[in-house]
Amino acid sequence: TPLDGKSLEEIVMAAAGDAARVGVFNNSAQVWNHTFFWSCMKPAGGGRPTGDLARRIDQAFGSYEKFAEQFKTSAVGRFGSGWGWLVLDGATLKVLSTANADTPMASKQTALLTVDVWEHAYYLDYQNRRPDFVQAFLDHLVNWDFVAANLGKAK
């Protein structure tokens, strides 16, 4: 196919918004989203970011606490399956959520952090307590080094 030999990101972008390639988009974007999600976590992660990332979060949201609340509200508020994101939109940090396979790159935004809020990500440990899962993600799992590196590459 014309997509043979393309990178995963190129495949996602080529299929985004193309009704004839919705299956290609759903599968490639989900591979990308999940791979990115795994990189957003590390053992003994979580807590607060440091350095430029912390400064940018404070500028954009007022404080880490306000960011965390907005991130959690966005992720928990997603009806059904999807994702909570911290993205760079132009020069602005934003929190958003996407449904199903949708991914920020399809909207020309740079993903910095994501949390998977599909039930498969948390149901065995948290049942229907999605808010508890997202809080545990923020408190104990986020790989802030990965998030900061994403921000650094996006500049």
Side-chain angles (χ1 to χ4, degrees), residues 1-96:
T1 74
L3 300 176
D4 186 38
K6 302 287 186 190
S7 71
L8 183 56
E9 290 82 2
E10 290 171 320
I11 293 169
V12 170
M13 292 306 293
D18 183 346
R21 290 181 170 165
V22 70
V24 173
F25 176 78
N26 286 339
N27 284 282
S28 61
Q30 285 292 48
V31 168
W32 191 92
N33 288 350
H34 280 89
T35 301
F36 190 82
F37 172 58
W38 301 129
S39 297
C40 286
M41 297 183 288
K42 71 177 184 178
R48 294 170 179 267
T50 59
D52 186 48
L53 176 61
R55 183 185 61 74
R56 295 283 305 269
I57 285 174
D58 287 347
Q59 280 180 328
F61 302 99
S63 68
Y64 172 78
E65 291 78 15
K66 289 179 183 176
F67 154 75
E69 187 58 35
Q70 188 175 338
F71 184 83
K72 185 176 173 182
T73 297
S74 181
V76 169
R78 166 56 51 197
F79 178 77
S81 300
W83 305 87
W85 300 92
L86 172 64
V87 302
L88 190 61
D89 188 0
T92 305
L93 290 180
K94 293 183 178 177
V95 166
L96 57 97

Coordinates of all heavy atoms in Angstrom, one line a residue, residues 1-96:
T1 N 0.8 -1.2 0.0 CA 0.0 0.0 0.0 C 0.9 1.2 0.0 O 2.1 1.1 0.3 CB -0.9 0.0 1.2 OG1 -0.1 0.4 2.4 CG2 -1.6 -1.3 1.5
P2 N 0.3 2.4 -0.2 CA 1.1 3.6 -0.2 C 1.7 3.9 1.2 O 2.6 4.7 1.4 CB 0.1 4.7 -0.5 CG -1.0 4.0 -1.3 CD -1.0 2.6 -0.7
L3 N 1.2 3.2 2.2 CA 1.7 3.4 3.6 C 2.8 2.5 4.0 O 3.4 2.6 5.0 CB 0.5 3.3 4.6 CG -0.6 4.3 4.4 CD1 -1.8 4.0 5.4 CD2 -0.2 5.7 4.5
D4 N 3.1 1.5 3.1 CA 4.2 0.6 3.3 C 5.5 1.3 3.6 O 5.9 2.2 2.8 CB 4.3 -0.4 2.2 CG 5.3 -1.5 2.4 OD1 5.4 -2.0 3.6 OD2 6.0 -1.8 1.5
G5 N 6.2 1.0 4.6 CA 7.5 1.6 4.9 C 7.4 2.9 5.7 O 8.4 3.5 6.0
K6 N 6.2 3.4 5.9 CA 6.0 4.7 6.6 C 6.2 4.5 8.1 O 5.9 3.4 8.7 CB 4.6 5.3 6.4 CG 4.3 5.6 4.9 CD 5.1 6.7 4.4 CE 4.7 7.1 3.0 NZ 5.6 8.0 2.3
S7 N 6.5 5.5 8.9 CA 6.6 5.4 10.3 C 5.2 5.4 10.9 O 4.2 5.7 10.2 CB 7.3 6.7 10.9 OG 6.5 7.8 10.8
L8 N 5.0 4.9 12.1 CA 3.7 4.9 12.7 C 3.1 6.3 12.7 O 1.9 6.4 12.4 CB 3.8 4.3 14.2 CG 2.5 4.1 14.9 CD1 1.6 3.2 14.2 CD2 2.9 3.6 16.3
E9 N 3.8 7.3 13.0 CA 3.3 8.7 13.1 C 2.8 9.1 11.7 O 1.7 9.7 11.5 CB 4.3 9.7 13.6 CG 4.6 9.6 15.0 CD 5.6 8.5 15.4 OE1 6.2 7.8 14.4 OE2 5.9 8.3 16.6
E10 N 3.5 8.7 10.6 CA 3.1 9.0 9.3 C 1.8 8.3 8.9 O 0.9 8.9 8.2 CB 4.2 8.7 8.3 CG 5.4 9.6 8.4 CD 6.6 9.1 7.5 OE1 6.9 7.9 7.5 OE2 7.2 10.0 6.9
I11 N 1.7 7.1 9.3 CA 0.5 6.3 9.1 C -0.7 6.9 9.8 O -1.8 7.1 9.2 CB 0.7 4.8 9.5 CG1 1.7 4.2 8.6 CG2 -0.7 4.1 9.4 CD1 2.2 2.8 9.0
V12 N -0.5 7.3 11.0 CA -1.6 7.9 11.8 C -2.1 9.2 11.1 O -3.3 9.4 10.9 CB -1.2 8.2 13.3 CG1 -2.2 9.1 13.9 CG2 -1.0 7.0 14.0
M13 N -1.1 10.0 10.7 CA -1.5 11.3 10.1 C -2.1 11.1 8.7 O -3.0 11.8 8.3 CB -0.3 12.2 10.0 CG 0.2 12.7 11.4 SD -1.1 13.5 12.3 CE -1.3 15.0 11.3
A14 N -1.6 10.1 7.9 CA -2.2 9.9 6.6 C -3.6 9.3 6.7 O -4.5 9.6 5.8 CB -1.3 8.8 5.9
A15 N -3.9 8.6 7.8 CA -5.3 8.0 7.9 C -6.2 9.0 8.7 O -7.5 8.8 8.6 CB -5.2 6.7 8.6
A16 N -5.7 9.9 9.4 CA -6.6 10.8 10.2 C -7.5 11.6 9.3 O -7.1 12.2 8.4 CB -5.7 11.8 11.0
G17 N -8.8 11.5 9.6 CA -9.8 12.2 8.9 C -10.2 11.6 7.6 O -11.0 12.2 6.8
D18 N -9.6 10.5 7.2 CA -9.9 9.8 5.9 C -10.9 8.7 6.2 O -10.5 7.7 6.7 CB -8.6 9.3 5.3 CG -8.8 8.7 4.0 OD1 -10.0 8.4 3.6 OD2 -7.8 8.5 3.3
A19 N -12.2 8.9 5.8 CA -13.2 7.9 6.1 C -12.9 6.5 5.4 O -13.3 5.5 6.0 CB -14.6 8.4 5.5
A20 N -12.1 6.5 4.4 CA -11.8 5.3 3.7 C -10.7 4.5 4.5 O -10.5 3.3 4.3 CB -11.3 5.5 2.3
R21 N -10.0 5.2 5.4 CA -9.0 4.6 6.2 C -9.3 4.6 7.7 O -8.3 4.6 8.5 CB -7.7 5.4 6.0 CG -7.1 5.2 4.6 CD -5.8 5.9 4.4 NE -5.1 5.6 3.2 CZ -4.1 6.3 2.7 NH1 -3.7 7.4 3.3 NH2 -3.5 5.9 1.6
V22 N -10.5 4.6 8.1 CA -10.9 4.7 9.5 C -10.3 3.5 10.3 O -9.8 3.7 11.4 CB -12.4 4.9 9.7 CG1 -13.2 3.6 9.3 CG2 -12.7 5.3 11.1
G23 N -10.3 2.3 9.7 CA -9.8 1.2 10.3 C -8.3 1.3 10.5 O -7.7 0.9 11.6
V24 N -7.6 1.8 9.5 CA -6.1 2.0 9.6 C -5.9 3.1 10.7 O -5.0 2.9 11.6 CB -5.5 2.5 8.3 CG1 -4.1 2.9 8.4 CG2 -5.7 1.4 7.2
F25 N -6.7 4.1 10.7 CA -6.5 5.1 11.8 C -6.7 4.5 13.2 O -5.9 4.7 14.1 CB -7.4 6.3 11.6 CG -7.3 7.3 12.7 CD1 -6.2 8.2 12.8 CD2 -8.2 7.4 13.8 CE1 -6.0 9.1 13.8 CE2 -8.0 8.3 14.8 CZ -7.0 9.1 14.8
N26 N -7.8 3.9 13.4 CA -8.1 3.3 14.7 C -7.0 2.4 15.2 O -6.6 2.5 16.4 CB -9.5 2.6 14.7 CG -10.7 3.5 14.6 OD1 -10.6 4.7 15.0 ND2 -11.8 3.0 14.2
N27 N -6.5 1.5 14.3 CA -5.5 0.6 14.8 C -4.1 1.3 15.0 O -3.5 1.0 16.0 CB -5.4 -0.6 13.8 CG -6.6 -1.5 14.0 OD1 -6.6 -2.3 14.9 ND2 -7.6 -1.4 13.1
S28 N -3.7 2.1 14.0 CA -2.4 2.7 14.2 C -2.4 3.8 15.3 O -1.4 3.8 16.1 CB -2.0 3.4 12.9 OG -2.9 4.4 12.5
A29 N -3.5 4.5 15.5 CA -3.5 5.5 16.5 C -3.6 4.8 17.9 O -2.9 5.3 18.9 CB -4.7 6.5 16.4
Q30 N -4.3 3.7 18.0 CA -4.3 3.0 19.3 C -2.9 2.4 19.6 O -2.5 2.4 20.8 CB -5.4 1.9 19.3 CG -6.7 2.5 19.4 CD -7.0 3.1 20.8 OE1 -6.2 3.9 21.3 NE2 -8.1 2.8 21.4
V31 N -2.2 1.9 18.6 CA -0.8 1.4 18.9 C 0.0 2.6 19.4 O 0.7 2.5 20.4 CB -0.2 0.8 17.6 CG1 1.3 0.6 17.8 CG2 -0.9 -0.5 17.3
W32 N -0.1 3.8 18.7 CA 0.7 4.9 19.1 C 0.3 5.4 20.5 O 1.2 5.6 21.4 CB 0.5 6.1 18.1 CG 1.6 7.1 18.4 CD1 2.8 7.2 17.8 CD2 1.4 8.2 19.3 NE1 3.5 8.3 18.3 CE2 2.6 9.0 19.2 CE3 0.4 8.7 20.1 CZ2 2.9 10.1 20.0 CZ3 0.7 9.8 20.9 CH2 1.9 10.5 20.8
N33 N -1.0 5.6 20.8 CA -1.5 6.0 22.1 C -1.0 5.1 23.2 O -0.5 5.6 24.2 CB -3.0 6.1 22.1 CG -3.6 7.3 21.3 OD1 -2.8 8.1 20.8 ND2 -4.9 7.3 21.1
H34 N -1.2 3.8 23.0 CA -0.8 2.9 24.1 C 0.7 2.9 24.3 O 1.2 2.9 25.4 CB -1.3 1.5 23.8 CG -2.7 1.3 24.1 ND1 -3.7 1.5 23.3 CD2 -3.3 0.9 25.3 CE1 -4.9 1.3 23.8 NE2 -4.7 0.9 25.1
T35 N 1.5 2.9 23.2 CA 3.0 2.9 23.4 C 3.4 4.2 24.1 O 4.3 4.2 25.0 CB 3.6 2.9 22.0 OG1 3.2 1.7 21.3 CG2 5.1 2.9 22.1
F36 N 2.8 5.3 23.8 CA 3.1 6.6 24.4 C 2.7 6.5 25.9 O 3.4 6.9 26.8 CB 2.3 7.7 23.7 CG 2.7 9.1 24.2 CD1 3.8 9.7 23.6 CD2 2.0 9.8 25.1 CE1 4.2 11.0 24.1 CE2 2.3 11.1 25.5 CZ 3.5 11.6 25.0
F37 N 1.5 5.9 26.2 CA 1.0 5.8 27.6 C 2.1 5.0 28.4 O 2.4 5.3 29.5 CB -0.3 5.1 27.6 CG -0.8 4.7 28.9 CD1 -1.0 5.6 29.9 CD2 -1.2 3.4 29.2 CE1 -1.5 5.2 31.2 CE2 -1.7 3.0 30.4 CZ -1.9 3.9 31.4
W38 N 2.6 3.9 27.9 CA 3.5 3.1 28.6 C 4.8 3.9 28.9 O 5.4 3.8 30.0 CB 4.0 1.8 27.9 CG 2.8 0.9 27.6 CD1 2.5 0.4 26.3 CD2 1.8 0.4 28.4 NE1 1.4 -0.4 26.4 CE2 0.9 -0.4 27.7 CE3 1.5 0.6 29.8 CZ2 -0.2 -1.1 28.3 CZ3 0.4 -0.1 30.4 CH2 -0.4 -0.9 29.6
S39 N 5.2 4.7 28.0 CA 6.4 5.6 28.3 C 6.1 6.7 29.3 O 7.0 7.2 29.8 CB 6.8 6.2 26.9 OG 7.2 5.2 26.0
C40 N 4.8 7.0 29.5 CA 4.5 8.1 30.4 C 4.5 7.6 31.9 O 4.3 8.4 32.8 CB 3.0 8.6 30.2 SG 2.9 9.6 28.7
M41 N 4.8 6.3 32.1 CA 4.9 5.7 33.4 C 6.3 5.2 33.7 O 7.0 4.7 32.8 CB 3.9 4.6 33.6 CG 2.4 5.1 33.4 SD 1.3 3.8 33.7 CE 1.5 2.8 32.2
K42 N 6.6 5.1 35.0 CA 7.8 4.5 35.5 C 7.6 4.1 37.0 O 6.7 4.7 37.7 CB 9.0 5.4 35.4 CG 9.1 6.5 36.3 CD 10.4 7.3 36.2 CE 10.5 8.4 37.2 NZ 11.7 9.1 37.1
P43 N 8.3 3.0 37.4 CA 8.2 2.7 38.8 C 8.6 3.8 39.7 O 9.5 4.6 39.3 CB 9.2 1.5 39.0 CG 9.3 1.0 37.6 CD 9.2 2.2 36.7
A44 N 7.9 4.0 40.8 CA 8.2 5.1 41.7 C 8.2 6.5 41.0 O 8.9 7.4 41.4 CB 9.6 4.9 42.4
G45 N 7.3 6.6 40.1 CA 7.1 7.9 39.4 C 6.1 8.7 40.2 O 5.8 8.6 41.3
G46 N 5.5 9.7 39.4 CA 4.5 10.5 40.0 C 5.1 11.7 40.8 O 6.2 12.0 40.7
G47 N 4.2 12.3 41.6 CA 4.6 13.5 42.3 C 4.6 14.7 41.4 O 3.8 14.8 40.5
R48 N 5.5 15.6 41.7 CA 5.5 16.9 40.9 C 6.7 16.9 39.9 O 7.8 16.4 40.2 CB 5.7 18.0 41.9 CG 4.6 18.2 42.8 CD 5.0 19.2 43.9 NE 3.9 19.4 44.8 CZ 3.0 20.4 44.6 NH1 3.1 21.2 43.7 NH2 2.0 20.5 45.5
P49 N 6.5 17.6 38.8 CA 7.6 17.8 37.9 C 8.5 18.8 38.4 O 8.2 19.5 39.4 CB 6.9 18.3 36.6 CG 5.6 18.9 37.1 CD 5.2 18.1 38.3
T50 N 9.6 19.0 37.8 CA 10.6 20.0 38.2 C 11.1 20.8 36.9 O 10.7 20.5 35.8 CB 11.9 19.3 38.8 OG1 12.4 18.4 37.9 CG2 11.5 18.5 40.1
G51 N 11.9 21.7 37.2 CA 12.5 22.5 36.1 C 11.6 23.2 35.2 O 10.6 23.8 35.7
D52 N 11.9 23.3 33.9 CA 11.2 24.1 33.0 C 9.7 23.6 32.9 O 8.8 24.4 32.7 CB 11.8 24.1 31.6 CG 11.2 25.0 30.6 OD1 10.9 26.2 30.9 OD2 10.9 24.5 29.5
L53 N 9.5 22.3 32.9 CA 8.2 21.7 32.9 C 7.3 22.2 34.0 O 6.2 22.7 33.8 CB 8.2 20.2 32.8 CG 6.9 19.5 32.9 CD1 6.1 19.9 31.6 CD2 7.1 18.0 33.0
A54 N 7.9 22.2 35.2 CA 7.1 22.7 36.4 C 6.8 24.2 36.2 O 5.6 24.6 36.5 CB 7.9 22.5 37.6
R55 N 7.7 25.0 35.7 CA 7.5 26.4 35.5 C 6.4 26.6 34.5 O 5.5 27.4 34.6 CB 8.8 27.1 35.0 CG 8.7 28.6 34.9 CD 10.0 29.2 34.3 NE 10.4 28.7 33.0 CZ 9.8 29.0 31.8 NH1 8.8 29.8 31.8 NH2 10.2 28.4 30.7
R56 N 6.5 25.9 33.4 CA 5.4 26.0 32.3 C 4.1 25.6 32.8 O 3.1 26.2 32.4 CB 5.8 25.1 31.1 CG 7.1 25.6 30.4 CD 6.9 26.8 29.5 NE 5.9 26.7 28.5 CZ 6.1 26.2 27.3 NH1 7.3 25.9 26.9 NH2 5.1 26.2 26.4
I57 N 4.0 24.5 33.6 CA 2.7 24.1 34.2 C 2.2 25.2 35.1 O 1.0 25.5 35.0 CB 2.8 22.8 34.9 CG1 3.0 21.6 33.9 CG2 1.7 22.5 35.9 CD1 3.2 20.3 34.4
D58 N 3.0 25.8 35.9 CA 2.6 26.9 36.8 C 2.1 28.1 36.0 O 1.0 28.7 36.3 CB 3.7 27.3 37.7 CG 4.0 26.3 38.8 OD1 3.2 25.4 39.1 OD2 5.0 26.5 39.5
Q59 N 2.8 28.4 34.9 CA 2.3 29.5 34.0 C 1.0 29.2 33.4 O 0.1 30.1 33.3 CB 3.4 29.8 32.9 CG 4.6 30.5 33.3 CD 5.5 30.7 32.1 OE1 5.6 29.9 31.3 NE2 6.2 31.8 32.1
A60 N 0.8 28.0 32.9 CA -0.4 27.7 32.1 C -1.6 27.5 33.0 O -2.7 27.8 32.6 CB -0.1 26.5 31.3
F61 N -1.4 26.9 34.2 CA -2.5 26.5 35.0 C -2.6 27.2 36.3 O -3.6 27.0 37.0 CB -2.5 24.9 35.2 CG -2.5 24.2 33.9 CD1 -1.3 23.7 33.4 CD2 -3.7 24.0 33.2 CE1 -1.3 23.0 32.2 CE2 -3.7 23.3 32.0 CZ -2.5 22.8 31.5
G62 N -1.6 27.9 36.7 CA -1.6 28.6 38.0 C -0.9 27.9 39.1 O -0.3 28.6 39.9
S63 N -0.8 26.6 39.0 CA -0.1 25.8 40.0 C -0.2 24.3 39.5 O -1.0 24.0 38.7 CB -0.7 25.9 41.4 OG -2.0 25.3 41.5
Y64 N 0.7 23.5 40.1 CA 0.6 22.1 39.8 C -0.7 21.5 40.3 O -1.3 20.7 39.6 CB 1.8 21.3 40.5 CG 1.6 19.8 40.3 CD1 1.9 19.2 39.1 CD2 1.0 19.1 41.4 CE1 1.6 17.8 39.0 CE2 0.8 17.7 41.2 CZ 1.1 17.1 40.0 OH 0.8 15.8 39.8
E65 N -1.2 21.9 41.4 CA -2.5 21.4 42.0 C -3.6 21.7 41.0 O -4.5 20.9 40.8 CB -2.7 22.0 43.4 CG -1.8 21.6 44.5 CD -0.4 22.3 44.4 OE1 -0.3 23.3 43.8 OE2 0.5 21.7 45.1
K66 N -3.6 22.9 40.4 CA -4.7 23.3 39.5 C -4.6 22.5 38.2 O -5.6 22.0 37.6 CB -4.7 24.8 39.2 CG -5.1 25.6 40.4 CD -5.1 27.1 40.0 CE -5.5 27.9 41.3 NZ -5.3 29.4 41.0
F67 N -3.3 22.2 37.7 CA -3.1 21.4 36.6 C -3.7 20.0 36.9 O -4.4 19.4 36.1 CB -1.6 21.3 36.2 CG -1.3 20.0 35.5 CD1 -1.7 19.8 34.2 CD2 -0.7 18.9 36.2 CE1 -1.4 18.6 33.6 CE2 -0.4 17.7 35.6 CZ -0.8 17.5 34.2
A68 N -3.2 19.4 38.0 CA -3.6 18.0 38.4 C -5.1 17.9 38.5 O -5.7 16.9 38.0 CB -3.0 17.6 39.7
E69 N -5.8 18.9 39.0 CA -7.3 18.8 39.1 C -7.9 18.9 37.8 O -8.8 18.2 37.5 CB -7.8 20.0 40.0 CG -9.3 19.9 40.3 CD -9.7 18.6 41.0 OE1 -8.9 18.1 41.8 OE2 -10.8 18.1 40.7
Q70 N -7.4 19.8 36.9 CA -7.9 19.9 35.5 C -7.7 18.6 34.7 O -8.6 18.1 34.0 CB -7.3 21.1 34.8 CG -8.0 21.4 33.5 CD -7.5 22.7 32.9 OE1 -7.0 23.6 33.6 NE2 -7.7 22.8 31.6
F71 N -6.5 18.1 34.9 CA -6.1 16.8 34.2 C -7.1 15.7 34.6 O -7.6 14.9 33.8 CB -4.7 16.5 34.5 CG -4.1 15.3 33.7 CD1 -3.7 15.4 32.4 CD2 -4.1 14.0 34.3 CE1 -3.2 14.3 31.7 CE2 -3.6 12.9 33.7 CZ -3.2 13.0 32.4
K72 N -7.2 15.6 35.9 CA -8.1 14.5 36.5 C -9.5 14.7 36.1 O -10.2 13.7 35.6 CB -7.9 14.5 38.0 CG -8.7 13.4 38.7 CD -8.4 13.4 40.2 CE -9.3 12.4 40.9 NZ -9.1 12.4 42.3
T73 N -10.0 15.9 36.1 CA -11.4 16.2 35.7 C -11.6 15.8 34.3 O -12.6 15.2 33.9 CB -11.8 17.7 36.0 OG1 -11.7 17.9 37.4 CG2 -13.2 18.0 35.5
S74 N -10.7 16.2 33.4 CA -10.8 15.9 32.0 C -10.8 14.4 31.7 O -11.6 13.9 31.0 CB -9.7 16.6 31.2 OG -9.7 16.4 29.9
A75 N -9.9 13.7 32.3 CA -9.7 12.3 32.1 C -10.9 11.5 32.7 O -11.5 10.7 32.0 CB -8.4 11.7 32.7
V76 N -11.3 11.9 33.9 CA -12.5 11.2 34.5 C -13.8 11.5 33.8 O -14.7 10.7 33.7 CB -12.5 11.6 36.0 CG1 -13.8 11.1 36.7 CG2 -11.3 11.0 36.8
G77 N -13.9 12.7 33.3 CA -15.1 13.1 32.6 C -15.3 12.6 31.2 O -16.4 12.7 30.7
R78 N -14.3 11.9 30.7 CA -14.5 11.3 29.4 C -15.5 10.2 29.5 O -15.4 9.2 30.2 CB -13.1 10.7 28.9 CG -13.1 9.7 27.7 CD -13.8 10.2 26.5 NE -13.2 11.5 26.0 CZ -13.9 12.3 25.1 NH1 -15.0 11.9 24.6 NH2 -13.4 13.4 24.8
F79 N -16.6 10.3 28.7 CA -17.6 9.3 28.7 C -17.2 8.2 27.9 O -16.7 8.3 26.7 CB -19.0 9.9 28.1 CG -20.0 8.8 28.0 CD1 -20.7 8.4 29.2 CD2 -20.3 8.2 26.8 CE1 -21.7 7.4 29.1 CE2 -21.3 7.2 26.8 CZ -22.0 6.8 27.9
G80 N -17.2 7.0 28.4 CA -16.8 5.8 27.7 C -15.3 5.7 27.6 O -14.6 6.1 28.6
S81 N -14.8 5.2 26.5 CA -13.3 4.9 26.4 C -12.6 6.1 25.8 O -13.1 6.8 25.0 CB -13.1 3.7 25.5 OG -13.8 2.6 26.1
G82 N -11.3 6.3 26.3 CA -10.5 7.3 25.7 C -9.3 7.6 26.6 O -8.8 6.8 27.3
W83 N -8.9 8.9 26.5 CA -7.6 9.3 27.0 C -7.7 10.7 27.6 O -8.4 11.5 27.2 CB -6.6 9.4 25.8 CG -6.5 8.1 25.1 CD1 -7.3 7.7 24.0 CD2 -5.6 7.0 25.3 NE1 -7.0 6.5 23.6 CE2 -5.9 6.0 24.4 CE3 -4.6 6.8 26.3 CZ2 -5.2 4.8 24.4 CZ3 -3.9 5.6 26.2 CH2 -4.2 4.6 25.3
G84 N -6.9 10.9 28.7 CA -6.6 12.3 29.2 C -5.3 12.7 28.8 O -4.3 11.9 28.8
W85 N -5.1 14.0 28.4 CA -3.8 14.4 27.8 C -3.3 15.7 28.4 O -4.2 16.6 28.7 CB -4.0 14.6 26.3 CG -4.4 13.5 25.5 CD1 -5.6 13.1 25.1 CD2 -3.5 12.5 24.8 NE1 -5.6 12.0 24.3 CE2 -4.3 11.6 24.1 CE3 -2.1 12.4 24.8 CZ2 -3.8 10.5 23.4 CZ3 -1.6 11.3 24.1 CH2 -2.4 10.4 23.4
L86 N -2.0 15.9 28.5 CA -1.4 17.2 28.6 C -0.7 17.4 27.2 O 0.1 16.5 26.8 CB -0.4 17.2 29.7 CG 0.5 18.5 29.7 CD1 -0.3 19.7 30.1 CD2 1.6 18.3 30.8
V87 N -1.0 18.5 26.5 CA -0.5 18.7 25.2 C 0.1 20.1 25.1 O -0.2 21.0 25.9 CB -1.6 18.5 24.1 CG1 -2.2 17.1 24.1 CG2 -2.6 19.6 24.2
L88 N 0.9 20.2 24.1 CA 1.4 21.5 23.7 C 0.7 21.9 22.4 O 0.8 21.2 21.4 CB 2.9 21.5 23.4 CG 3.6 22.8 23.3 CD1 3.5 23.7 24.5 CD2 5.1 22.6 22.9
D89 N -0.1 23.0 22.4 CA -0.9 23.4 21.3 C -0.3 24.8 20.9 O -0.5 25.8 21.5 CB -2.3 23.6 21.7 CG -3.2 23.9 20.5 OD1 -2.7 24.0 19.4 OD2 -4.4 24.1 20.7
G90 N 0.6 24.8 19.9 CA 1.4 25.9 19.5 C 2.4 26.1 20.6 O 3.2 25.2 20.9
A91 N 2.3 27.2 21.4 CA 3.2 27.4 22.5 C 2.5 27.3 23.9 O 3.0 27.6 24.9 CB 3.8 28.8 22.4
T92 N 1.2 26.8 23.8 CA 0.4 26.8 25.0 C 0.2 25.4 25.5 O -0.2 24.5 24.8 CB -1.0 27.4 24.7 OG1 -0.8 28.7 24.2 CG2 -1.9 27.5 25.9
L93 N 0.4 25.1 26.8 CA 0.1 23.9 27.4 C -1.4 23.8 27.7 O -2.0 24.8 28.1 CB 0.8 23.7 28.8 CG 2.3 23.5 28.8 CD1 2.8 23.4 30.2 CD2 2.7 22.3 28.0
K94 N -2.0 22.7 27.3 CA -3.5 22.5 27.5 C -3.7 21.1 28.0 O -3.0 20.1 27.7 CB -4.2 22.7 26.2 CG -4.2 24.1 25.6 CD -5.0 24.1 24.3 CE -5.0 25.6 23.8 NZ -5.8 25.7 22.5
V95 N -4.8 20.9 28.7 CA -5.4 19.6 29.1 C -6.6 19.3 28.2 O -7.4 20.2 28.0 CB -5.7 19.6 30.6 CG1 -6.6 18.4 30.9 CG2 -4.5 19.7 31.5
L96 N -6.7 18.1 27.7 CA -7.8 17.7 27.0 C -8.1 16.2 27.1 O -7.2 15.5 27.7 CB -7.7 18.1 25.5 CG -6.5 17.6 24.7 CD1 -6.8 16.4 23.9 CD2 -5.9 18.7 23.8

